[in-house]
Amino acid sequence: MVTATEHLERLAVALDGAGWTVDRRYSGPPLVRVSSSKAPHIGDSIGVKDGVGGVPWFVSSCGDPLAPCHDVRRACAEVGELLSLLAAVQAARSSRGRVI
């Protein structure tokens, strides 16, 4: 049986390869903290949770399912999309009040 840490390590390698900053947090409940080097204060912690029929899924820190653990490519894309959205929201908030 594959452990949550093993699933997360496969995801961490893929996220590293995609250019994200990855902090492995395997003591306690295993998590992978993902952020951008351009905005390290914006990120998400990804964990593993059993889904329907006991199939393990990667989940965001909000509990949103990202992809089944066997689909690392999809999970990596979902994390990238989520972090890009969070960065865009942060950029929009930061630009408020500025004269352009």
Side-chain angles (χ1 to χ4, degrees):
M1 177 176 230
V2 180
T3 67
T5 301
E6 291 168 324
H7 286 303
L8 288 168
E9 184 57 29
R10 287 183 26 246
L11 179 61
V13 169
L15 291 166
D16 278 332
W20 295 103
T21 300
V22 179
D23 179 22
R24 293 155 172 88
R25 299 179 180 180
Y26 297 152
S27 61
L31 297 170
V32 172
R33 174 79 178 155
V34 186
S35 61
S36 168
S37 60
K38 296 176 184 175
H41 59 285
I42 298 173
D44 197 10
S45 295
I46 310 302
V48 172
K49 183 177 179 183
D50 283 343
V52 175
V55 174
W57 274 66
F58 294 112
V59 293
S60 73
S61 59
C62 296
D64 294 332
L66 300 170
C69 291
H70 66 266
D71 195 348
V72 172
R73 178 181 281 177
R74 178 174 158 198
C76 191
E78 292 288 333
V79 170
E81 196 172 308
L82 175 63
L83 293 181
S84 295
L85 176 62
L86 291 173
V89 168
Q90 180 63 32
R93 287 181 179 168
S94 295
S95 68
R96 288 184 188 159
R98 291 184 185 171
V99 177
I100 299 177

